Amino acid sequence: MLQTVDVKKTMSPVGVLSPHEQRIEHGEPVGLIGDAALGKRARIHEMLKGFREQPVHLNVARARLLTESMKVSEGQPTVLRWGKALAHILAHHPIHIEGDELVVGSAGPPGRYAVVYSELVTPGRFYTQPDSLVPSESDEQLVVTEEDVAILKDEVLPYWEKNQYHGALMNGLPDDTRRLMERFFVVTATAAGRSMLAWAHDFDKVLRRGLRSIKEEAERKLSALDPFDAAAQVEMRPFFEAVVLVCDAMVGFAHRHAELARTTAADEPRAERRKELLEIAEICERVPEHPARTLHEAVQCQWFVQLVSRFEQAIGGGVSNGRIDQYLYPYYRKDIDEGRITDSDALVLLESLWIAMARSVDVYAKPGQPSLTDGFAHWEATTIGGLKPDGRDATNELSYLILRSKREFPLNYPDLSARVHARSPEAFLRAICETIKEGTGFPKLFFDDEIIPSFLMKGAEVAEANDYCVTGCTEVKMLNRDAIATGCAWVNMGAILEMALSDGCMKSYGEDRVGISTGDARAFTSFADLWNAFRAQAEDVMRHTFIQQYAADTLKSRHIAAPMFSMLHDLCMTEGKDIHAGPIDGALYLGFFDIMGFGTVIDSLAAMKKLVFEEGRLSMDELLAALDADFEGHEAVRQLCLNAPKYGNNDPYADSIGRDIEECFARLAQGHTTAFGGELDVRYVSITSHVPLGLVVAATPDGRRSGEPLSESVSPSQGVDVKGPTATLNSIASTKCAQYKERAARLLNMKLSPASVAGEEGTKKLGAMIRAVCDMKMWHIQFNIVNRETLIAAQKDPEKYRNLLVRVAGYSAYFVDLTPALQNEIIRRTEHCF
Amino acid sequence: MIDETRQSEQERGLVFNIQKFSLHDGSGIRTLVFLKGCPLACQWCSNPEGQDVSAELIYTRAQCIGLSECDACLGVCHAGAICGGGDGKVDIDRRACDACGNCAAVCPSKALEMSGEFMSVDDVIRETEEDETFYARSGGGLSVSGGEPLAQARFVKRLLAAARSRGLNTAIETSGLCSWKSLEEVVPHTDQIFYDIKCADPERHLRTTGVSNQRIVENFTRLRHDFPAVPVVVRTPVIPGVNDSEHEIQAIVDIVNEAGGASAYELLPYHGFGEPKYRKLGLAYPLEHARPPSEAVMAALTKIAAQVVLESTGV
């Protein structure tokens, strides 16, 4: 069927801009939007002025203190060493109170900062590489001083170069697996790039009990240890000792802030601010040691916990906030009922927390360098809505207040996630749609109807599955049940395809075979031959993937421990074991591996099936010659490839191949058990890695040229889904193998034109579409409501569009902060406009 | 055998596009089925490929990769309608082309494509139901458009009846130019009708669309009288120089009100988006110099349009 777009829709407004685009067109400065900037929230408005212009300072203080402590604790149990190191940091890290802030504490110098995680010596973190560690030029956004360089080079890096996890992991691998890992971007291990996967802490526990109660629990468990039980004395005792140390250190850290607030108050000329500072002092004396009583105490306590977490370790994508509308609700409700605060006060507190998070920037590569997570990526996933543990709807006034803040607060932090289920209130759906229509990419949506059953299949209890929260970009966690902590691998399916077509070799890596020999593709006489070669290469790559994950799990606990994290996890406290140490009794280890280039590979296999094996319009020889020449001089072949069936159009021809691919990997996953007795599931989350992963893959039979990005996450290849969003969603649903439990997140980006969701009618139809997506049991969806013209204009005039937020993959980032390759990739994603 | 083939051809509709996720053509998220063939030839028509009653060759010249890369179409054209152009791309001799479709079948870049395909009711229903999850949540369904769908009234009747019986909401978009019998046959299976009244002045209507509006106005009046319960949305495309005057819109409002009003009256400002399609069909664009009406003009006309007596017919 010929696809022509019906253009009779004269009434559909052409050139409609989203509210976000309108503000940028009018050159409005960054601040709270509209009337929100007035009244009590003027304080937040002031703090936001110039925020995006603040340079990012590298914070080496944490690395220096960590190294000092680690040098003197050599040979002691890992968890105790990390407990002592954290206590040392909390006792000596410089502190300050910034401006008129109400929520205090920072993991760096004033303004924006990036904590140096010197223990993570990897090629991906520039500051751990002496060659790339140079002071920054005056105009760079990331400030690295000569003193920073000297401290890192003289005091810090020499110690960690000898004691690092990354090197130990690479040395610990079998030769063939290591060789594969050394070929960049075929299998990309992420275990050593951060200390652990994205996670939220059980903030509720600290708010309700206070750290004193947790310390007392550790002390009780210490004294209950059998003195004659050698295992308990060697394994468990250091853990509980570390917990006691950390609890005291955190309370001490809060008290340092209380003292600073009092001395600052003494010099404060304004009476009102003086009063505030004294209140802050009282709050810091109260929390996190004791249970919180007010919303202000609760927010400050939450921030202290995640702040200390930032000192403790690099959690993937930052510290997630968990179900914030649930655990803060009792304090909000009580303050409102007792007339202590209004909604504006609550918003000031929440937005103070957002600013505190926004100051903390995660730096791997220097700005502008290609990165696996472009755009200073960090995403403090913040969950609202969804079900309560007992299965009733959990939405409350705070859920709506947080959505309102997301519409009025201009920064891309925190990353808001809304849980949607079949019976989510219509009012909640409307508020979500109104927020999505703003055009900044928030909130991303997670569907309980898919995620909860997936937890149940894996052995979770209903109540804990119902209580899951979003962490990172599309991960989900049951905070006291899940225990997977090691970063999981990215598997380049584009590379697997290339190897299947070239007897195990890849153009990027020359004559030496990367995979296994599967024969000359010219000799394949049927699609089954091709499929078997693909599956054999996939098996080999997955074999190495599983081996590296096993090594990563088992070697990690010699290098890294996280006593603060662990003391907030029920199972770690029961077992007396650090989260990294595994296996922990009763835990579910729900790991995964990401298969990258789903659309690229489906389309490539579909093109070969149709053109070579069914219609005979191309011989394999002709096709391979065209791929070898990167289609130069073979335009007719490329056009045939481009016009073959494509995933994303609800075409069973392509979609059934997608299902076969998922089944192939799910079955490989089924056959494997991890070092800690867990499973690794098939997942489709590319973040921004589909751009660099594409660099090593030669031209592919879908018509993609050599080095171009692979398709992104579970989305169709850029621009090939021409039948509209419903067809795309149907395709995605058709490629799911619901009979396998070895499945996890499917990240889906969808770009809609602002015109298609304009007005009340647009809100209603967007809401209906989201309901339908929930019915289809999708995992996740996020929307870019932006005009293609705006993106192209932003490339030409980055200064004007410096505040333009776009949805990348699992998070929103400033478009101008992205590399040109990723910018182009986002522009090429299909914009659905009717 | 021959009779059977003829029978089944009659039962099929000539479809030139099926468009999913349509948001502006009735309730909810809809699928629009475009039927080929129209008795009107409006100068501003934005779907000119919908006018002719047979399959046509569409040529998107920009997509032709040139004879130096590919000459597949030359080899299969039995009518001698394809030849090389000055810039290395092919040109089509429309007088010689008999729309056999051979060239489209071999064109690797889809620069050459056929518009128009016979589909059975079952085919169309199957493709429409792919999106039923979205209809269920949005109150959407199937809309039949064109071209003029009532030019294939028997097919439309059976299509809408089948859709209704399967729980789909149904709508048609019509120019109103058809026999009353056709309309009378289809309306009982329709949940909502979008009815174009393009121009009140019969002479001007003839000049700009090729036909008089007499039958259109009669059918509208009878439709409102015989089927008062079926909601009808009246639409007027506002074309500069044709009907963008206040008295012209007022005259249409009067026609509508005399017939008893409508459930809504929508003015659609002219746009030139259909223009590239004329080139693809080898036709000249009749409104080459037209510009969309200004916002001020639209605002003034919208005020007049608001005089239409609205019926709450339970849309």
Side-chain angles (χ1 to χ4, degrees), chain A residues 7-21:
Chain A
V7 288
K8 196 163 47 187
K9 302 304 137 355
T10 358
M11 83 252 248
S12 75
V14 172
V16 171
L17 299 179
S18 74
H20 182 54
E21 286 173 312

Side-chain angles (χ1 to χ4, degrees), chain B residues 60-97:
Chain B
T60 310
R61 204 162 196 284
Q63 272 168 242
C64 176
I65 59 175
L67 287 166
S68 61
E69 294 280 352
C70 168
D71 59 2
C73 52
L74 284 180
V76 298
C77 180
H78 60 82
I82 302 179
C83 59
D87 58 355
K89 299 189 176 199
V90 300
D91 279 329
I92 312 292
D93 179 352
R94 290 281 172 178
R95 285 161 307 176
C97 175

Side-chain angles (χ1 to χ4, degrees), chain A residues 476-492:
Chain A
V476 290
K477 292 274 186 303
M478 299 174 290
L479 297 184
N480 287 299
R481 187 73 197 272
D482 210 317
I484 174 77
T486 308
C488 297
W490 295 343
V491 175
N492 187 337

